[in-house]
Amino acid sequence: MSEYFTLSECDVIGFDLDHTLCRYHLKETSKLIYESFARYLVEHKGYDEDLLNLTPATWDFCFKGLVVDLEDGNLVKLAEDGSVLRATHGTTDLSTDEIIKHYGPERKWKHFNSLNTSFAKSAKYYLYDNYFDLPGALLCGRVVDMLHKWGNEVNSDFWKDMVAAIDHNYNTSAFRDAGTYFPSVKRDPGRYLQTCSDSVKTWLRSMKNAGKVLLLITSSHSDYCRLICEHILGKDFEDLFDVIITNSLKPGFFSLKPQQRSFKNLVNNVEETDDLPSLEKPGWYSQGNWIHLHELLKTMTGKMEPKVVYFGDSMRSDMFPASSFGKWETVMIVEEMEGEGVPKSDAAKLNEAQVEPLEKKGKYEESMKPPSAVSNQWGSYFVDVHGGAGEDEKEQKLTWCCHCIHKYSTMAIPSVEHIASMSKWTHTEQSCKQWDRSIQCFRFPVSANLQIFDPSGEIPPIQVSFAENITHSPQIDGI
């Protein structure tokens, strides 16, 4: 990654859709996803109906970045070196002594090298990497609790039922009124989707008018993509993008070769069976690979090596593959930054205020913890205390998630709104100071300081620093 980053020098600006351009109302969406999965287990797999009963306090368990060990039913929060910071069996906390007994004195998780080097899916563990997955972590923990209640052995067999629940709600045909999730969003999109502010729409148009090539690359299928984009951007959303790619099946879009994952044309939201040998022109396509896209971008920009930046929310599907295989600059959307102290943009506040007046919200929603907020059970998304058996052996460590943001993203921001609502930034001492105050130095590799608070009181407020002796501060141009 370059030491100095500015959008004005990028030829191509790419975006993921879900939880990137489109922000969701996380409380409502999380409840819907959990209910979708749990109802399938109850109605189709014979699980206890108690899985459907949740209190607002239960949602504190939802925490992005957890890994479930499918062999024993433990969920773990990892440090940057692969040691276990916190762990539960089901939803029950493991004590320090129990963690050491299970993982050894160094508290090392045995599958860390596999996860850390490839982010590949495994039959032995599962990473809860995004908000579509996250309610599944809570359900997974509760299923393990229920298996113990029944006196059943906990092994990887329960995961087959979890995968079936996910497939039932998220597969291609589910949009056509199967499952629970898609029909609910179709009936009332405003309950789950946040519309983009005028500042975002203006920003996208200004980049397009300035000659930038704009991409939309999403793993969502074309019908769901159209529903979302029409709601958040308007009926003319296609005019904002030069190339739209749906059902991209990331991270395979970046990691697989053209002969393994070819582009396909779409006709009435249905993929044609014939593979495209290459991309010849801008348009809306399905599946594909970054190599063929790169060839098209060279033609569109007239440059042999066009500079591309990609905005996304998933480390596994967006940041890691785009930076490692595509060699793109990456901007990660990390809503946990807002949850841990970074102020929301004015546009985001206005958007939320227009959705639902405070007096109309139910008591459940008011007392439910947003999934992006600090968890009492799991602590901070960015930093935690690593403890030994003795009281004096505790030390602060960055989480593995925080380390990955540092390693694979050029910049981290809480939302697209934070960039879109800015005017042009100039590289002056005054602007850099204002940048530090207002958005906490979003570029992690450049003197990024983020104050973290632990609601349990175990960790005093601290500053997490990511300085790497780089003298330039980031510049974001509104273009």
Side-chain angles (χ1 to χ4, degrees):
M1 297 299 178
S2 58
E3 292 185 1
Y4 182 80
F5 173 69
T6 171
L7 283 179
S8 62
E9 294 178 359
C10 293
D11 307 296
V12 182
I13 318 291
F15 297 92
D16 175 41
L17 179 57
D18 299 291
H19 300 288
T20 300
L21 265 184
C22 175
R23 291 190 75 171
Y24 284 71
H25 298 298
L26 292 181
K27 291 183 181 182
E28 288 290 344
T29 307
S30 296
K31 288 192 299 177
L32 174 62
I33 293 171
Y34 180 91
E35 182 183 354
S36 302
F37 294 167
R39 190 165 297 282
Y40 176 85
L41 294 183
V42 171
E43 295 178 356
H44 296 272
K45 298 295 182 179
Y47 283 73
D48 196 314
E49 289 188 359
D50 189 52
L51 282 179
L52 296 168
N53 300 322
L54 294 177
T55 65
T58 311
W59 289 98
D60 183 70
F61 189 84
C62 272
F63 186 82
K64 198 163 72 176
L66 297 180
V67 183
V68 58
D69 192 322
L70 303 178
E71 296 174 314
D72 57 22
N74 287 358
L75 288 98
V76 297
K77 176 186 180 184
L78 298 171
E80 60 179 322
D81 61 359
S83 56
V84 176
L85 292 168
R86 305 191 191 199
T88 66
H89 183 68
T91 63
T92 303
D93 288 329
L94 297 183
S95 67
T96 298
D97 289 341
E98 288 172 324
I99 291 174
I100 292 174
K101 180 179 179 180
H102 198 91
Y103 299 102
E106 299 299 318
R107 303 168 63 141
K108 295 296 184 181
W109 185 59
K110 62 183 177 181
H111 302 301
F112 180 69
N113 287 339
S114 172
L115 174 66
N116 189 47
T117 54
S118 68
F119 288 83
K121 288 187 177 180
S122 169
K124 296 181 178 180
Y125 60 83
Y126 187 84
L127 168 65
Y128 287 99
D129 175 53
N130 60 71
Y131 291 120
F132 279 149
D133 281 345
L134 199 51
L138 173 58
L139 181 60
C140 182
R142 298 194 74 208
V143 166
V144 171
D145 293 344
M146 191 162 289
L147 290 174
H148 277 298
K149 178 182 176 182
W150 291 346
N152 293 349
E153 180 185 0
V154 177
N155 54 44
S156 59
D157 288 346
F158 80 91
W159 187 247
K160 298 174 184 177
D161 294 337
M162 294 289 296
V163 172
I166 294 170
D167 183 65
H168 179 71
N169 283 281
Y170 286 155
N171 67 28
T172 308
S173 61
F175 189 81
R176 304 180 186 94
D177 294 323
T180 304
Y181 177 80
F182 287 123
S184 299
V185 177
K186 287 166 66 176
R187 281 194 303 269
D188 190 3
R191 182 175 180 178
Y192 305 103
L193 311 176
Q194 297 187 38
T195 57
C196 288
S197 66
D198 289 340
S199 61
V200 169
K201 298 173 187 176
T202 299
W203 180 57
L204 294 174
R205 291 190 187 96
S206 67
M207 289 191 290
K208 185 86 177 289
N209 293 337
K212 306 298 180 185
V213 175
L214 265 62
L215 311 176
L216 181 62
I217 307 175
T218 174
S219 291
S220 291
H221 286 266
S222 57
D223 43 14
Y224 188 56
C225 172
R226 185 175 295 279
L227 170 73
I228 292 175
C229 288
E230 287 184 353
H231 182 80
I232 69 169
L233 292 169
K235 298 287 186 180
D236 60 346
F237 75 92
E238 290 183 64
D239 296 338
L240 295 172
F241 303 100
D242 296 280
V243 179
I244 298 176
I245 301 169
T246 49
N247 194 25
S248 62
L249 302 172
K250 297 175 293 181
F253 179 86
F254 294 102
S255 62
L256 297 181
K257 297 178 180 178
Q259 58 268 31
Q260 296 173 295
R261 183 72 57 76
S262 299
F263 279 99
K264 297 178 182 294
N265 279 317
L266 283 166
V267 178
N268 297 325
N269 288 327
V270 177
E271 292 179 358
E272 291 190 333
T273 56
D274 293 340
D275 294 338
L276 295 175
S278 63
L279 285 187
E280 302 296 335
K281 59 183 180 180
W284 190 327
Y285 300 95
S286 186
Q287 298 196 37
N289 59 88
W290 83 270
I291 296 174
H292 279 170
L293 175 62
H294 184 67
E295 292 301 314
L296 175 63
L297 295 178
K298 291 197 300 187
T299 301
M300 294 178 69
T301 61
K303 296 183 178 182
M304 289 302 297
E305 293 297 332
K307 186 170 184 178
V308 183
V309 61
Y310 186 65
F311 290 71
D313 71 293
S314 168
M315 185 58 64
R316 179 182 179 272
S317 298
D318 299 323
M319 299 297 102
F320 170 73
S323 62
S324 299
F325 298 102
K327 306 303 179 185
W328 291 356
E329 302 283 1
T330 54
V331 178
M332 187 168 183
I333 306 300
V334 185
E335 292 194 45
E336 284 76 13
M337 294 176 76
E338 284 183 350
E340 302 200 24
V342 174
K344 294 182 179 181
S345 68
D346 292 339
K349 292 177 184 176
L350 180 62
N351 192 354
E352 288 182 357
Q354 291 174 339
V355 172
E356 187 174 24
L358 189 62
E359 61 270 14
K360 289 188 178 181
K361 292 184 178 180
K363 291 182 179 179
Y364 189 103
E365 288 78 7
E366 280 299 293
S367 55
M368 174 184 172
K369 180 191 80 70
S372 58
V374 179
S375 166
N376 287 302
Q377 188 164 8
W378 293 106
S380 165
Y381 181 73
F382 302 99
V383 70
D384 210 336
V385 165
H386 185 286
E391 283 295 321
D392 298 330
E393 297 180 35
K394 292 184 177 180
E395 60 175 319
Q396 294 166 351
K397 283 194 173 185
L398 297 183
T399 64
W400 176 68
C401 291
C402 188
H403 167 76
C404 290
I405 295 171
H406 177 127
K407 186 174 181 179
Y408 296 112
S409 66
T410 309
M411 182 180 295
I413 58 176
S415 71
V416 171
E417 302 275 3
H418 280 79
I419 286 184
S421 59
M422 294 179 188
S423 58
K424 282 196 174 185
W425 289 88
T426 55
H427 187 61
T428 65
E429 182 179 358
Q430 181 179 1
S431 68
C432 288
K433 288 180 179 178
Q434 185 177 4
W435 176 274
D436 289 347
R437 287 198 306 272
S438 62
I439 50 178
Q440 307 285 321
C441 285
F442 288 153
R443 188 176 183 193
F444 271 58
V446 183
S447 62
N449 295 298
L450 182 64
Q451 190 159 19
I452 304 298
F453 299 92
D454 177 21
S456 69
E458 183 179 359
I459 311 173
I462 63 170
Q463 292 285 333
V464 185
S465 179
F466 305 87
E468 280 191 340
N469 299 319
I470 298 175
T471 57
H472 294 103
S473 291
Q475 176 180 335
I476 293 294
D477 285 354
I479 302 179

